[in-house]
């Protein structure tokens, strides 16, 4: 949160002590060791994401991070390291485009920008909201389907056509938290985070609730 991104290395395996293991299995172990610090931010860091999930991949590792004074992309290729700035302010969320060459950033002004990871230049802007922050970005498919959380909505976007295809709006639960006090007189339930696993898209809301949606239709699941 202080403008530095720490890179951690994993050694071994770990299962928390509260998770039961078979008596015949050796006790797993994990050690996290700080490897490096990535300097480049001049303010708070709000979100980051790596371009590859498997460090054995032949693709170079890239890390994108965003915060209150823009963003950064670091590329690690062999022993070389490259740093690219992402211009902007109050960039709240970041994720990688399915093509691996672009990053998506969501701003406090409701804009989702598609940016070239090598230059930082914006190639497309998707306006998810006019006054509300983008607090969730999740790529749902290699074909370019994006889920976004903005204001009190979850939206689906076709990245290839730069078009919104679906939208679901939420209302606060009667027993929910009245977030924002006088700043939220209409008791709106804002989306603070989203995550997808298969057909299930979950949204964490400011009223203290977690909503489960069908990621293809945005119909709320019982």
């Amino acid at each position: 949160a202080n403008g530095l991104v720490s890179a951690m290395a994993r050694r071994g395996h770990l299962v928390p002590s509260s998770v039961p293991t078979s008596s015949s299995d050796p006790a797993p172990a994990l050690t996290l060791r700080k490897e490096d610090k990535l300097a480049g931010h001049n303010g708070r860091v709000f979100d980051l994401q790596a371009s590859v999930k498997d460090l054995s991949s032949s693709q170079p590792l890239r890390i994108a991070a965003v915060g209150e004074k823009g963003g950064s992309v670091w590329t690690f290729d062999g022993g070389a390291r490259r740093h690219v700035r992402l211009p902007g302010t109050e960039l709240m969320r970041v994720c990688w485009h399915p093509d691996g060459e672009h990053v998506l950033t969501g701003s406090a002004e409701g804009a989702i920008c598609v940016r070239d990871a090598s230059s930082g230049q914006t190639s497309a802007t998707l306006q998810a909201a006019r006054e509300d922050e983008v607090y969730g970005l999740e790529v749902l498919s290699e074909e370019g389907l994006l889920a976004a959380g903005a204001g009190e909505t979850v939206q689906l976007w076709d990245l290839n056509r730069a078009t919104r295809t679906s939208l679901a709006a939420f209302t606060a639960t009667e027993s929910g938290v009245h977030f924002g006090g006088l700043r939220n007189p209409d008791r709106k339930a804002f989306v603070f985070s989203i995550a997808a696993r298969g057909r299930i898209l979950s949204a964490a809301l400011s009223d203290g609730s977690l909503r489960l949606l069908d990621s293809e239709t945005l119909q709320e699941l019982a």
Side-chain angles (χ1 to χ4, degrees):
N2 62 356
L4 293 174
V5 178
S6 294
M8 309 296 286
R10 186 176 69 177
R11 300 289 184 268
H13 308 280
L14 171 68
V15 174
S17 58
S18 60
V19 178
T21 59
S22 115
S23 58
S24 61
D25 293 336
L30 174 74
T31 300
L32 291 177
R33 176 167 54 88
K34 184 181 291 185
E35 288 286 318
D36 203 351
K37 287 184 178 180
L38 307 178
H41 284 268
N42 297 317
R44 293 174 295 168
V45 178
F46 295 148
D47 195 19
L48 76 156
Q49 191 175 87
S51 61
V52 295
K53 297 181 179 179
D54 184 357
L55 292 180
S56 65
S57 170
S58 60
Q59 299 297 319
L61 171 65
R62 286 174 155 182
I63 296 177
V66 293
E68 64 178 334
K69 296 184 179 180
S72 293
V73 175
W74 294 272
T75 301
F76 303 86
D77 194 355
R81 177 190 297 182
R82 298 190 302 276
H83 174 243
V84 174
R85 287 285 299 158
L86 303 177
T89 58
E90 296 291 325
L91 301 183
M92 312 305 296
R93 295 292 181 267
V94 66
C95 72
W96 282 89
H97 193 286
D99 66 10
E101 299 299 326
H102 294 80
V103 291
L104 308 169
T105 61
S107 77
E109 297 177 345
I112 302 169
C113 291
V114 182
R115 302 170 185 258
D116 189 311
S118 297
S119 67
Q121 294 183 346
T122 299
S123 59
T125 300
L126 318 176
Q127 198 65 46
R130 292 295 176 186
E131 299 179 352
D132 295 317
E133 297 92 340
V134 175
Y135 270 135
L137 289 176
E138 184 89 6
V139 171
L140 300 180
S141 74
E142 294 297 321
E143 290 70 36
L145 183 63
L146 174 74
E152 55 200 305
T153 70
V154 167
Q155 308 171 19
L156 296 182
W157 287 82
D158 182 337
L159 293 175
N160 297 315
R161 295 186 296 157
T163 302
R164 184 169 56 204
T165 61
S166 187
L167 180 148
F170 300 106
T171 56
T173 58
E174 290 296 327
S175 59
V177 180
H178 183 193
F179 169 78
L182 296 177
R183 293 181 293 117
N184 184 16
D186 297 325
R187 300 179 62 91
K188 293 182 178 181
F190 295 101
V191 177
F192 275 176
S193 183
I194 62 174
R197 294 294 182 272
R199 285 283 297 271
I200 298 178
L201 178 64
S202 56
L205 272 60
S206 64
D207 66 349
S209 68
L210 178 68
R211 312 294 177 93
L212 301 180
L213 311 173
D214 185 312
S215 64
E216 294 184 1
T217 65
L218 294 189
Q219 293 295 312
E220 196 159 352
L221 304 175

